[in-house]
Every structure is written in structure tokens, then in C-alpha cells.
Amino acid sequence: MKAMLYHESGGPEVLQYVDVADPEPGPRDVVVDVAATALNRLDVVQRNGWFHMPGFQYPHIAGMDVAGMVSAIGSQVDDVAIGDRVVIDPSLAGVPESSKLAGMGDLYGELGIIGGTVDGGYAEKCLAPSSHVCQVPDSMPLEHAATFPTCYLTAAHALFDVGELQAGETVMIHAAGSGVSTAAIQLAKHAGATVLATAGTNEKCDRALELGADHVCNNRSGDVTGFARGITAGAGVNMVFDHVGTALFGQSLFGIGIGGRLVNCGNSSGDEATIPSLGYVFHSGIKILGSDPYRPEEFGPVWDTFCEGDFEVVIDSEFALADAAAAQAKMLSNDFFGKIILKP
């Protein structure tokens, strides 16, 4: 099969479009013929060598968000059939021992992640445990299914499991044009929250309103704290959903009301942040929460919600697998809204 891989960190020139051996399933595995793979920022972060997930090794085939058709199954697989249209859960927590991908790490430590630490969807075929695929409805394009895994599970886990967002609360969601934030906006609205969204351009703010955000703010030209306080009549928001980190950390804290919480699930603008006022944090009972990995049992229910709900699939652009370097360059430019898709 063809695959896009790299043997060392560096710029797009390290990516190699080459022939590699087809994956062979273990007793509890399936092989998926990849129809579409959605990019994530981790793809370019790890390629550049800025950060590597625990357990990462070379050569590496990226691509965590994969959808396609099952083309081979292991001898013990009885709940998935050849020809099934599936989406893959990339987290390898809870993998049965008879899978080739078992024992590669759980929720912490040396994690097992399809496309993060083991071969992923930047290829024509992808190996997955049979326990980690879900059926895609016939009415759903496989490209749409590929937008789901990392973004929707990251957003749902941060909003509800960690942040305990409730109907009637207010949540401010940064970087509205990113894949995870387009998911978070829609999930929060689906749950009955009031959504304040921020983005770096007016165009992205307008797109966030189309997705269901109630109020928007340009976070480069506007006052994010004032925005949050103004919309809430001075009270402050109940939650900030943040994967930006450094650039908006202080403004986010001062936009949170009494007893509110900041839930962090990323650091796209940097890894260091300063708490501008410990006094405000402890006097106001502000909680700063790190959103850890989602659990295996969360994937199915969130997938069902996605399939049954009125969610808008946001695809910015599509590239051929051989053009993965151009797709990653687009992601690094931040000139996109939603998901970037690769197709073999």
C-alpha cells in the first residue's frame, strides 16, 4: 500500500510517499481501507519535533481520525464484517489482549494512539482493534465520519466529563475556527448552554455564529474579558473552553465568574501561562482544570449523539494523500475553518 511517513523530525521535506507492507490483522483486529483521514495539529507538531506523545517512535505514519471500509478481519472477530463502513476510535485504551495493538499504554504514560504513536490514516489501509470501530450510517459520507473522532471526543470530554457543563450555563470557546472548537460550539449548544465564541478574524466569528454560537468576539482586536463580562451583565462566564493556552490565558481567567472554571485541553499558542492574580482565583473560587484523555466508554455515546443530532460537518478543504505536505502547511497557516481532509 501507499503511505505518507517520516523517519526523522523536520519540515515538510521529511514526509515520504512510499510503498509499505499492508497491515495484517491479529485475532481481534480489522483492516480498514481508508476513505478519508482528518488532520489534527498533533500531526504537524510531532513531524516538526516540537513535541512527541509518550511512546512515539520512528518511522511514523500520522492520522488519528480515520473512516473507511473494512477489508480484512481477524479470526476472532464476530461483530464486524468485511465491507462494513466504519469510523475508528484512535485511543487504544481498553484494547483486548488478542489484538496486535494491545498493551501499548492506557490513559496515561506511554499511550497507544492510532496515528499518534502507532501507524494511522496517512495511508491506504489502517489497522485497528475490532473493539475500536463504530458503524457509519449509510446516509453519512465517510469524509464526514472522519471529522468526528479526536475533535468531538476531546470537546465532549472537556465540556461535560471534566467541566461538568450544564444547560443554562455560559461557556466561552476560543479559536472558533479550529476543528475541536467547531465541535465544542455545537455540543455545548446541543446541551442547552449559551455559547460565547472568540476567533482571530471577523470572518471566522461570522462562521461561528452560523454554527450556533450566540455571541462572538475577535480575540485579536477585541477585549476578551470585557466581552465575557459584557454579555453576562458583569457576572462572568461559567466556563472557558481553552486549547489556545498562553495567548488568552489571563483574559480568560478574568472573564470567568464566581465559582467558574477554565478547562484546558491544549496549548497551541505556547506552553507557559501566567496567572495574573492569584487573589482573584482563590477569592472567586476559580477552578483551573486539565482535560485528560477521554475514556473508551465515552466514544460510542458521543458518536450516537453525532449521528442522531443536527450537527453541521465543517470541512475546510480536501487534499490527496500524496499532497499531505500541502495540507499540513495549510493547517500551520491557520487559514482554515473546520477540518482538513486527506484522501488516498
Side-chain angles (χ1 to χ4, degrees):
M1 69 174 182
K2 288 291 188 181
M4 185 66 76
L5 56 76
Y6 55 98
H7 292 265
E8 61 183 352
S9 61
E13 69 278 358
V14 302
L15 291 170
Q16 301 175 30
Y17 187 57
V18 296
D19 290 306
V20 300
D22 290 356
E24 295 289 338
R28 290 290 302 277
D29 294 325
V30 301
V31 175
V32 176
D33 285 355
V34 177
T37 298
L39 271 66
N40 286 285
R41 193 162 291 271
L42 184 68
D43 302 355
V44 293
V45 167
Q46 293 201 131
R47 188 212 71 203
N48 276 291
W50 299 332
F51 168 80
H52 288 136
M53 296 295 298
F56 174 92
Q57 57 186 319
Y58 296 113
H60 182 62
I61 299 174
M64 295 187 289
D65 293 348
V66 184
M69 187 172 293
V70 175
S71 59
I73 62 174
S75 59
Q76 297 177 16
V77 175
D78 57 10
D79 54 349
V80 181
I82 292 175
D84 283 354
R85 304 168 75 250
V86 298
V87 63
I88 298 174
D89 175 1
S91 169
L92 295 177
V95 174
E97 291 183 1
S98 50
S99 165
K100 284 185 175 181
L101 298 175
M104 308 186 92
D106 207 323
L107 298 173
Y108 307 102
E110 290 199 359
L111 304 176
I113 305 170
I114 291 173
T117 59
V118 303
D119 290 347
Y122 281 40
E124 292 177 328
K125 296 178 182 288
C126 184
L127 181 71
S130 62
S131 57
H132 282 52
V133 298
C134 288
Q135 301 284 338
V136 176
D138 291 339
S139 60
M140 181 183 295
L142 289 169
E143 294 85 354
H144 290 194
T147 69
F148 171 80
T150 299
C151 288
Y152 272 83
L153 267 295
T154 297
H157 182 72
L159 288 170
F160 307 120
D161 189 77
V162 176
E164 299 181 346
L165 183 67
Q166 303 294 317
E169 289 192 312
T170 52
V171 57
M172 182 161 62
I173 298 172
H174 293 316
S178 70
V180 70
S181 291
T182 61
I185 289 168
Q186 296 187 78
L187 285 167
K189 282 298 295 180
H190 184 78
T194 296
V195 175
L196 289 67
T198 82
T201 69
N202 291 337
E203 180 183 2
K204 289 181 179 181
C205 286
D206 291 341
R207 294 286 302 278
L209 287 172
E210 293 172 4
L211 282 180
D214 298 286
H215 310 279
V216 293
C217 173
N218 186 317
N219 57 34
R220 294 184 182 175
S221 60
D223 174 3
V224 170
T225 299
F227 166 62
R229 292 285 175 177
I231 294 299
T232 58
V237 296
N238 300 113
M239 181 193 299
V240 170
F241 174 92
D242 174 45
H243 57 92
V244 173
T246 304
L248 297 175
F249 195 80
Q251 295 184 70
S252 295
L253 281 178
F254 285 129
I256 299 171
I258 293 171
R261 55 272 191 210
L262 184 152
V263 182
N264 176 266
C265 60
N267 55 353
S268 60
S269 70
D271 205 36
E272 295 184 4
T274 299
I275 297 176
S277 172
L278 282 173
Y280 177 73
V281 170
F282 69 75
H283 279 301
S284 300
I286 304 298
K287 301 177 180 66
I288 301 174
L289 304 169
S291 184
D292 57 353
Y294 65 86
R295 276 49 176 174
E297 61 271 17
E298 294 178 74
F299 193 94
V302 181
W303 173 244
D304 290 343
T305 297
F306 179 77
C307 292
E308 297 166 4
D310 187 21
F311 292 91
E312 181 178 343
V313 174
V314 187
I315 295 176
D316 176 271
S317 49
E318 295 184 0
F319 290 81
L321 176 60
D323 297 326
Q328 290 190 353
K330 185 174 183 65
M331 171 161 277
L332 279 176
S333 74
N334 288 324
D335 183 21
F336 66 96
F337 192 94
K339 297 299 288 183
I340 300 169
I341 298 289
L342 288 181
K343 300 178 74 171

